[in-house]
Amino acid sequence: MEQYRNMLQTLSKIPPTGESFLLLSQDVGMKIYNRFSIRRQLQGSHMDRIRSLYNEYVQLLSKEGQISCLLPRELWENSEHEKFGGSCSPRVHSTWPRSLLVQLGTHLVELMVQTIKLKNNMFSPRSEPKLIPVLYHMYSFRSTRQIGLIKPHPIYSQMLLDAGETLLTFETSVMPMRCPPLPWTSPHFGAYLLSPSKLMRSGEGAVQHQLLLEKSSPGQLFPVLDSLNQLGICAWRINKPVLDIIVSIFNDKGSEKLDIPPPLSEAPAFPLQNTGSLSSWDKLSYQKEQARCRKKAAEMYSLRMDALYKLSIANHLRDQIFWFPHNMDFRGRTYPCPPYFNHLGSDVTRALLLFAEGRPLGPNGLDWLKTHLINLTGLKKKNSLQERKQYAEEIMDDILDSADRPLTGRKWWMEADEPWQTLACCMEVANASRSPDPTKYISHFPVHQDGSCNGLQHYAALGRDEIGAKSVNLMPSETPQDVYSGVAQQVEGFRQIDAKKGIKIAQVLEGFIGRKVVKQTVMTVVYGVTRYGGRLQIEKRLREMDSFPQEYVWEASHYLVQQVFSSLKEMFSGTRSIQHWLTESARMISKSGNTVEWVTPLGLPIIQPYHRSKSVMFHSNLQTVHVTNKNDANARPDTMKQKNAFPPNFIHSLDSTHMMLTALHCHR
């Protein structure tokens, strides 16, 4: 019965344009595996032990955790020893390989195609009634590759549309938890109570990470596990006033300016024309316009559904307290397990979240709220923290107007870099400043602290590069340094020299080189972005500028990416040489037939999973399926990927260590 329910849920989620047969099969196979894992967990007395321990653990967490020096992991382990004399973690079962999940899924998708039918005359009663398949298998080209698609019949798509079904069904493992997560006590145990969860996320077919974690000596992983537990036991709640405003705009055709995706009814009109009378050039232009409209409609649908998921989950949790269990990728970077709605999301998602547990603002809290508010607007990046706070006090009328009349007032908040978080902060500042005693006002509002281009900070520290360190705030300074503005100024200097030489593109770019144009490229260059990738980033920024002549976008982005790379080479002299040394080391290691491995300063063992591709082929009744595995540890290392990925992965691992140490420090 459960399998049928899974299949029907899958059926309702297939878009009218169709879904890849391989992806659909894998999704169905994974659903079966998750159900199987939960069913296996519920067998025997193991679950009774976990239930008994968990009830005691949450009591201790709310009481002992506040007054004792014990970490969540230690609270759990102490309870285990007191009740059962040792660990009662479940027996370790191997996960099903991807090829098995896909094979199982293809069998079930075949069944769906063969057996699910509907009447052909549902919208035309005069037709002779007969049963027709709901799903069809067909082939389509994506780029240059031919792929198998499962596509719903238009009658079924119309039925779904007409039904206006508003119920969204999610797996429990993609939802925030309504109770504190289990503490990670080993690589096999933590996060969800029933749903299978991995301490370390990995690519399809990669088992080497898990093996490496299991070989770690007892206690080596405790700092990493404890930092994940600290992130996971933070309780959250929904900012209901902000949610209501966002939902009202979402239901009223959205707003691209405020990052609320509009519905498909606002998509550009599809061009309809008789192509018979067109010249071959006009026909090509017409086909390009059709393709552009199709692409835009697909993007709009995807963004709208993503926003619908996020807002639906937020609305579902509007009166609840909830938690985000955390795990990490193979570099040690931590992520919340629920993918759709979490505190690492967009401006809209972050604006919807508050800490469940409040704290009195104290003597400095209101000042920090004001400073944070100005940080969110992006208006005073070069000013000191004191000047930012003073600016907030100068524009208090606009702040209070935004809080009181967000959609009918002067709408100052809408011009901010992060408009929704700015609005949420305006409301909090208004509530705190109007309270009888702001120092005693209980605030639930998150105030962010962020590094200044973390990747460059790590390179500057590794190379003891004082000039680079100063530009990313690793050296004392009266005012915050802004590396992005510094690079933009230097690039502007290069442009002025070239413009005087009569270089046309340098003259066209006058007045268009700013912090926003170069920021993404500067930020990602330390994580291995190439000139090609950097050019695409800059092109996107230039296309967002209405006043920039669009016919020069390609040439301008090509010119600017060269200037940005030249500027960074001058400003961070040591960075390129360290990158080169790391790249060359990785090349030599992988050439010798080994993968690159290292251990972070916090004791986390890391191995790069890049190997030569291996492909498994099997036949189903619908099509031949190729399952590619690029992470098979038995295959030779992929030298190109091993060497190119090592510098950014190494820096990511240092960055994650820094963040974990910060979490542990906050707990202490």
Side-chain angles (χ1 to χ4, degrees):
M1 188 66 199
E2 219 164 323
Q3 275 82 337
Y4 290 123
R5 197 182 304 125
N6 284 339
M7 288 157 78
L8 287 171
Q9 283 174 16
T10 302
L11 180 64
S12 66
K13 288 185 177 178
I14 300 174
T17 50
E19 181 61 273
S20 156
F21 177 62
L22 177 60
L23 292 179
L24 196 60
S25 300
Q26 187 173 309
D27 182 55
V28 172
M30 184 55 80
K31 279 189 167 72
I32 301 300
Y33 171 71
N34 287 340
R35 291 286 189 281
F36 168 76
S37 298
I38 291 170
R39 187 71 60 84
R40 186 175 56 192
Q41 285 263 69
L42 291 169
Q43 290 173 349
S45 60
H46 165 71
M47 208 57 226
D48 293 331
R49 287 182 166 198
I50 295 292
R51 186 182 288 111
S52 164
L53 270 173
Y54 183 77
N55 288 335
E56 188 171 308
Y57 167 72
V58 289
Q59 294 296 323
L60 290 170
L61 201 58
S62 59
K63 295 176 188 169
E64 289 291 311
Q66 304 291 338
I67 52 173
S68 75
C69 295
L70 294 177
L71 294 151
R73 174 183 54 79
E74 293 168 327
L75 290 173
W76 180 271
E77 287 173 344
N78 286 357
S79 296
E80 273 185 321
H81 283 280
E82 284 172 20
K83 280 200 159 208
F84 304 110
S87 171
C88 66
S89 297
R91 282 181 296 123
V92 179
H93 297 278
S94 58
T95 55
W96 297 353
R98 185 188 179 207
S99 56
L100 177 60
L101 293 174
V102 173
Q103 279 181 290
L104 175 61
T106 53
H107 176 66
L108 294 172
V109 173
E110 278 175 26
L111 279 177
M112 290 165 69
V113 171
Q114 290 163 6
T115 58
I116 304 175
K117 299 186 186 297
L118 52 70
K119 287 182 180 175
N120 68 331
N121 65 343
M122 299 192 76
F123 294 110
S124 51
R126 292 180 186 176
S127 307
E128 186 183 334
K130 65 175 182 179
L131 291 176
I132 56 171
V134 168
L135 296 175
Y136 288 85
H137 178 265
M138 59 183 288
Y139 288 98
S140 177
F141 279 94
R142 294 274 166 92
S143 187
T144 55
R145 288 190 314 121
Q146 189 185 41
I147 65 162
L149 282 182
I150 298 295
K151 199 168 180 180
H153 195 285
I155 293 177
Y156 175 73
S157 299
Q158 191 61 46
M159 275 171 57
L160 277 185
L161 198 64
D162 293 348
E165 176 57 74
T166 57
L167 183 72
L168 289 173
T169 306
F170 293 99
E171 293 283 314
T172 51
S173 56
V174 302
M175 291 289 283
M177 291 181 70
R178 298 259 299 276
C179 55
L182 289 174
W184 286 106
T185 57
S186 74
H188 306 291
F189 185 77
Y192 294 107
L193 281 79
L194 280 173
S195 297
S197 49
K198 278 181 165 183
L199 173 65
M200 188 173 275
R201 305 172 179 208
S202 55
E204 300 294 351
V207 294
Q208 52 270 55
H209 308 298
Q210 192 67 25
L211 294 173
L212 206 57
L213 291 173
E214 286 166 11
K215 280 195 287 186
S216 302
S217 58
Q220 182 185 336
L221 295 177
F222 284 172
V224 171
L225 300 179
D226 292 336
S227 62
L228 286 170
N229 293 336
Q230 281 311 118
L231 299 171
I233 61 167
C234 176
W236 299 85
R237 71 180 203 195
I238 296 294
N239 188 331
K240 289 190 271 191
V242 174
L243 173 63
D244 291 337
I245 295 168
I246 292 173
V247 168
S248 71
I249 293 176
F250 181 83
N251 290 334
D252 185 29
K253 296 191 174 179
S255 165
E256 288 199 6
K257 181 187 176 185
L258 295 174
D259 204 24
I260 309 293
L264 270 180
S265 59
E266 302 301 299
F270 210 80
L272 293 171
Q273 201 169 347
N274 181 10
T275 55
S277 58
L278 296 177
S279 68
S280 56
W281 177 257
D282 289 339
K283 203 177 281 185
L284 185 64
S285 301
Y286 172 68
Q287 287 168 347
K288 277 188 177 177
E289 181 61 18
Q290 274 191 320
R292 189 191 69 80
C293 288
R294 265 196 299 270
K295 184 170 181 274
K296 180 69 176 172
E299 286 171 358
M300 285 177 69
Y301 177 80
S302 176
L303 290 169
R304 182 78 175 177
M305 290 302 104
D306 180 60
L308 176 67
Y309 278 22
K310 287 177 167 62
L311 295 177
S312 299
I313 293 170
N315 197 50
H316 178 69
L317 296 168
R318 66 182 296 132
D319 297 313
Q320 308 290 339
I321 289 173
F322 50 91
W323 288 259
F324 297 121
H326 281 64
N327 63 3
M328 57 188 167
D329 66 12
F330 77 89
R331 303 162 303 187
R333 286 184 77 94
T334 62
Y335 298 93
C337 298
Y340 301 119
F341 182 74
N342 60 59
H343 59 286
L344 299 188
S346 63
D347 173 48
V348 173
T349 316
R350 292 181 184 208
L352 291 171
L353 288 166
L354 296 169
F355 290 129
E357 208 174 334
R359 290 278 191 277
L361 281 180
N364 301 317
L366 184 54
D367 289 348
W368 272 113
L369 278 175
K370 290 172 182 174
T371 304
H372 177 55
L373 173 59
I374 302 307
N375 289 346
L376 290 168
T377 65
L379 292 172
K380 298 286 175 182
K381 290 189 180 290
K382 295 179 186 174
N383 297 62
S384 68
L385 298 179
Q386 181 61 27
E387 287 167 339
R388 295 179 198 188
K389 188 197 79 161
Q390 284 171 353
Y391 179 68
E393 286 161 0
E394 288 166 17
I395 58 162
M396 192 54 75
D397 276 355
D398 284 329
I399 293 169
L400 297 177
D401 176 73
S402 295
D404 298 337
R405 299 181 299 149
L407 300 179
T408 57
R410 296 194 289 273
K411 302 177 187 175
W412 169 82
W413 63 278
M414 289 188 184
E415 304 307 315
D417 280 1
E418 309 281 1
W420 289 108
Q421 289 175 85
T422 301
L423 175 60
C425 200
C426 285
M427 291 176 170
E428 188 71 1
V429 168
N431 291 337
S433 56
R434 287 166 176 166
S435 66
D437 182 354
T439 62
K440 292 178 182 172
Y441 174 78
I442 304 295
S443 178
H444 298 257
F445 201 82
V447 171
H448 308 155
Q449 297 275 292
D450 195 11
S452 309
C453 195
N454 305 28
L456 283 173
Q457 286 184 329
H458 287 293
Y459 272 118
L462 285 169
R464 302 293 190 269
D465 177 359
E466 286 197 20
I467 298 168
K470 194 171 188 333
S471 68
V472 286
N473 295 304
L474 288 188
M475 302 286 280
S477 172
E478 282 297 309
T479 56
Q481 300 299 303
D482 182 28
V483 66
Y484 309 117
S485 298
V487 171
Q489 284 169 8
Q490 196 158 18
V491 170
E492 172 60 16
F494 295 153
R495 185 205 66 77
Q496 288 173 5
I497 294 166
D498 289 343
K500 284 174 185 171
K501 290 177 184 173
I503 296 173
K504 173 73 174 168
I505 196 62
Q507 294 167 347
V508 170
L509 277 164
E510 186 174 355
F512 291 105
I513 298 173
R515 181 182 190 277
K516 198 172 181 181
V517 173
V518 303
K519 180 180 176 182
Q520 191 182 8
T521 308
V522 173
M523 193 191 302
T524 52
V525 82
V526 290
Y527 295 124
V529 79
T530 59
R531 286 176 190 253
Y532 175 77
R535 192 199 68 73
L536 291 176
Q537 291 168 344
I538 292 170
E539 179 185 320
K540 193 176 179 186
R541 298 287 86 82
L542 293 174
R543 289 199 185 280
E544 288 168 359
M545 296 180 182
D546 296 333
S547 53
F548 187 78
Q550 295 299 301
E551 65 271 21
Y552 288 104
V553 162
W554 192 91
E555 196 180 347
S557 58
H558 197 268
Y559 171 81
L560 282 177
V561 77
Q562 289 177 311
Q563 306 309 326
V564 168
F565 271 72
S566 300
S567 171
L568 284 169
K569 203 170 184 180
E570 278 189 27
M571 287 177 72
F572 292 86
S573 53
T575 297
R576 300 306 285 184
S577 56
I578 297 170
Q579 275 184 323
H580 177 73
W581 185 85
L582 292 171
T583 304
E584 190 58 21
S585 302
R587 187 187 68 79
M588 292 164 75
I589 291 166
S590 55
K591 274 282 186 189
S592 70
N594 297 298
T595 48
V596 181
E597 297 181 37
W598 68 99
V599 179
T600 72
L602 212 52
L604 180 69
I606 293 175
I607 181 170
Q608 292 197 141
Y610 314 117
H611 293 265
R612 304 261 178 94
S613 293
K614 272 189 174 181
S615 193
V616 177
M617 183 180 78
F618 58 87
H619 300 281
S620 75
N621 292 332
L622 294 177
Q623 70 173 67
T624 301
V625 179
H626 294 265
V627 180
T628 305
N629 183 2
K630 296 179 180 177
N631 305 306
D632 186 346
N634 295 317
R636 278 189 65 78
D638 183 330
T639 302
M640 185 65 78
K641 270 201 165 182
Q642 288 281 347
K643 77 180 182 74
N644 288 343
F646 179 48
N649 285 341
F650 182 66
I651 296 299
H652 275 305
S653 75
L654 293 181
D655 207 33
S656 75
T657 300
H658 200 154
M659 196 280 297
M660 287 178 174
L661 284 166
T662 307
L664 293 172
H665 175 78
C666 289
H667 175 72
R668 188 179 69 193

